Amino acid sequence: MSFNSDAYMTRGFQREIPEIDKLFLLAMINEKSALPDNEVDYLQVFNLTREIVGDTVFQKIENTQEVPSSKSEVSFPLPEAVTAKVFCIDSEEYFTFMLAEEY
């Protein structure tokens, strides 16, 4: 599985996830799939959490996969940060971003 096809989003994902987060999620998928000899699982899990440090609100995004096991994360200031669990599933014809509750 390589996530080298068209990307789609469910309505819930489109409605609930801020645009900047959508761009970061896509960038994380693209970065992971572009690495040489990197095995990318067809199911990518993203945990988005809202964290406050001092007076600044941060969006933390943690990306995990099961086979092979891997984990990466990114954090950046974002006043409209959200807490959500997002799945990205690759069917090889296309891949879809969806909220966990839409699965």
Side-chain angles (χ1 to χ4, degrees):
M1 304 294 165
S2 61
F3 291 89
N4 288 328
S5 53
D6 293 333
Y8 293 94
M9 297 177 256
T10 61
R11 288 185 181 151
F13 179 84
Q14 285 179 304
R15 183 179 55 251
E16 302 294 324
I17 305 301
E19 289 301 315
I20 191 72
D21 285 345
K22 293 173 189 168
L23 293 173
F24 267 93
L25 296 176
L26 187 56
M28 291 175 86
I29 289 283
N30 288 337
E31 181 179 315
K32 183 177 271 191
S33 63
L35 294 173
D37 300 328
N38 189 26
E39 295 181 46
V40 181
D41 195 358
Y42 78 97
L43 173 63
Q44 298 295 307
V45 179
F46 296 93
N47 285 302
L48 286 68
T49 54
R50 184 177 195 266
E51 296 182 346
I52 300 173
V53 178
D55 293 336
T56 306
V57 177
F58 286 88
Q59 180 70 72
K60 180 179 174 186
I61 302 174
E62 180 183 275
N63 172 221
T64 58
Q65 72 176 33
E66 288 187 9
V67 181
S69 180
S70 77
K71 178 180 172 181
S72 62
E73 63 182 52
V74 64
S75 184
F76 51 92
L78 184 66
E80 65 271 16
V82 296
T83 297
K85 187 172 199 170
V86 172
F87 296 146
C88 186
I89 302 172
D90 185 5
S91 73
E92 292 188 4
E93 291 180 38
Y94 57 88
F95 60 98
T96 306
F97 287 100
M98 68 182 69
L99 299 175
E101 56 266 23
E102 294 179 297
Y103 183 69

